[in-house]
Amino acid sequence: MADDAAIDYTLNNPDTLTKYKTAAQISHKVLEAVSAWCVEGAKILSVCQRGDKLLEDEVAKVYKGKKISKGISHPTTVSPSAYVTPYTPLSTDLEEAAVALRANEPVKIQLGAQIDGLGTIVCDTILVKTDEHKNGEVSGREADLMLATYYANELLLRLMIPPGLLTSGTEEEKKKAAAEKRPTQTKISQMVETVVKSYGCNLVEGTTSWLFERNETEGKKKIVLNPPDKEGKTEGSPEIGEIWGVEIGVSLGAGKVKTIDQRPTLHRRTAITYQLKRPSSRQTLSEIVKKFGNFPFSLRQLDDERAAKVGVVECVRSNVLRQYEVVTDKDSAPVARLLTTIAITKNGVVRLSAPPALDTARFKSDKKITDEQILKMLEQPTARSTGAKGKNKKKKKKPAKKATEEEEEEESSEDE
């Protein structure tokens, strides 16, 4: 740890981006596997356990023999239809351990890996597959929800780009663009809300994107969409050289949320120190610090799950640990979420770990986005092309197609 001060962990150091990209590759591989396991009747607990085991196995394959920390930056969570927050049941809570996935419900899969404290997290929403309809067309409100979430996410990623960064033209035009005011929290919420309302949906209140730092996935900056109160204020703006976890949450209901009476199983360490009185609490905290550092973890990841349930009580009460309450849609309406870890470089937004682009051709809706300003923004790239010229210039009409093209271009620009 003494050598950490001498290491440059900014994106100016190519090794930093390499570590982020390695963590992202692991996250993508595990997300793909977990998504395939989410079929009708699958037990959520089993899927989460298998996901964490695969994360551990894949992390163990990289940076062998290096004296650096590595592990899980976010445990595998699988949240049922109306759940807003990540959900990870315990094997010792028998009722929750028996919860199984239902056909066609939208489930949110969230997980992540970290290398040397540089973590990536990804969340995707999928519709639980049935044997009869594995890759068939989706229509009705499910299609509205998936399309609204996809396009809202694409718009939000473009709003993360600092003003003028991708502007072409004369130096004077570039300076003028760079001097433009950044959109306010209210403006960002309004624009994203316009997208989701086009599909008869609403933003989930309090959806928050965070600045990622080394050993920290809730940094000094945040962007809050549809804040429920004055405390949910945006703090800071995205800048070149930063890593962000960009999140979008969309509901088929009104977007209001409620905390339900269910045991919180997801926790993370805080910066607060306190002399714990109970030996069981001290033992639990010691294991947490050793295994997870400051990253979120599930109680089921600890050696003795039953002892952990007791040991965390004093830790939470003294604010040494933060527990993530279980939050659902207030109307019990279906909810979709996406989370993308991005790097903001001089060439724009690089998607480090991102949910797969939605196959929009599968989703049939009688609704569409009509706002001309937003449609124009969705057609804009999120990054400057640095080598994939002419590779995908066909079919420019649909924003979803354009977004898919950009991802291929971004892969070539990640090292810039």
Side-chain angles (χ1 to χ4, degrees), residues 196-253:
V196 300
K197 283 186 178 298
S198 298
Y199 292 93
C201 302
N202 283 289
L203 274 176
V204 173
E205 64 177 355
T207 300
T208 305
S209 299
W210 289 94
L211 172 70
F212 282 9
E213 298 169 339
R214 184 168 180 255
N215 295 315
E216 180 57 77
T217 55
E218 295 182 7
K220 299 180 180 68
K221 295 182 180 182
K222 63 181 180 179
I223 296 172
V224 184
L225 299 179
N226 191 18
D229 50 47
K230 292 182 179 179
E231 293 182 3
K233 292 176 62 178
T234 288
E235 299 174 7
S237 301
E239 301 287 353
I240 294 175
E242 293 179 343
I243 306 292
W244 281 74
V246 181
E247 182 170 356
I248 194 76
V250 179
S251 170
L252 283 180

Side-chain angles (χ1 to χ4, degrees), residues 79-91:
S79 305
S81 178
Y83 280 58
V84 173
T85 50
Y87 176 67
T88 170
L90 304 181
S91 60

Side-chain angles (χ1 to χ4, degrees), residues 109-359:
I109 303 166
Q110 185 162 318
L111 53 87
Q114 61 92 3
I115 305 295
D116 201 9
L118 304 173
T120 64
I121 300 176
V122 63
C123 177
D124 189 21
T125 295
I126 65 168
L127 298 177
V128 175
K129 300 172 185 175
T130 62
D131 291 335
E132 296 81 13
H133 302 93
K134 285 188 176 179
N135 295 301
E137 288 187 356
V138 178
S139 60
R141 294 299 281 151
E142 289 86 0
D144 293 339
L145 178 64
M146 299 296 282
L147 289 168
T149 307
Y150 174 71
Y151 287 121
N153 185 58
E154 288 298 317
L155 178 64
L156 183 56
L157 289 172
R158 284 157 176 77
L159 291 169
M160 297 294 293
I161 303 170
L165 184 61
L166 301 182
T167 301
S168 58
T170 65
E171 286 302 315
E172 185 177 343
E173 289 172 332
K174 291 178 182 178
K175 286 181 180 179
K176 184 179 179 181
E180 289 181 3
K181 275 191 173 183
R182 295 173 182 269
T184 63
Q185 172 179 275
T186 301
K187 181 63 174 176
I188 293 174
S189 289
Q190 287 174 345
M191 294 181 74
V192 178
E193 188 82 52
T194 298
V195 172
V196 300
K197 283 186 178 298
S198 298
Y199 292 93
C201 302
N202 283 289
L203 274 176
V204 173
E205 64 177 355
T207 300
T208 305
S209 299
W210 289 94
L211 172 70
F212 282 9
E213 298 169 339
R214 184 168 180 255
N215 295 315
E216 180 57 77
T217 55
E218 295 182 7
K220 299 180 180 68
K221 295 182 180 182
K222 63 181 180 179
I223 296 172
V224 184
L225 299 179
N226 191 18
D229 50 47
K230 292 182 179 179
E231 293 182 3
K233 292 176 62 178
T234 288
E235 299 174 7
S237 301
E239 301 287 353
I240 294 175
E242 293 179 343
I243 306 292
W244 281 74
V246 181
E247 182 170 356
I248 194 76
V250 179
S251 170
L252 283 180
K256 300 295 183 182
V257 301
K258 64 180 179 181
T259 300
I260 62 174
D261 185 18
Q262 193 166 304
R263 181 195 301 276
T265 61
L266 194 66
H267 297 72
R268 61 162 289 172
R269 188 177 159 210
T270 69
I272 295 173
T273 57
Y274 178 81
Q275 185 60 46
L276 299 169
K277 295 178 174 59
R278 293 178 175 271
S280 61
S281 305
R282 293 196 294 270
Q283 183 178 344
T284 299
L285 182 61
S286 177
E287 183 183 355
I288 290 167
V289 171
K290 183 178 179 180
K291 284 186 173 180
F292 312 112
N294 294 331
F295 289 104
F297 64 91
S298 167
L299 294 182
R300 62 179 168 73
Q301 293 175 282
L302 297 173
D303 291 341
D304 187 332
E305 192 178 286
R306 292 186 186 278
K309 288 158 73 173
V310 176
V312 297
V313 173
E314 185 186 5
C315 296
V316 171
R317 189 185 301 128
S318 58
N319 294 319
V320 174
L321 293 180
R322 171 190 169 190
Q323 68 180 19
Y324 291 85
E325 303 294 342
V326 183
V327 176
T328 67
D329 185 272
K330 195 172 183 178
D331 303 323
S332 297
V335 170
R337 277 197 310 114
L338 299 176
L339 194 157
T340 308
T341 302
I342 66 168
I344 303 175
T345 73
K346 64 182 180 181
N347 289 318
V349 165
V350 175
R351 306 183 200 210
L352 295 172
S353 62
L358 190 72
D359 180 6

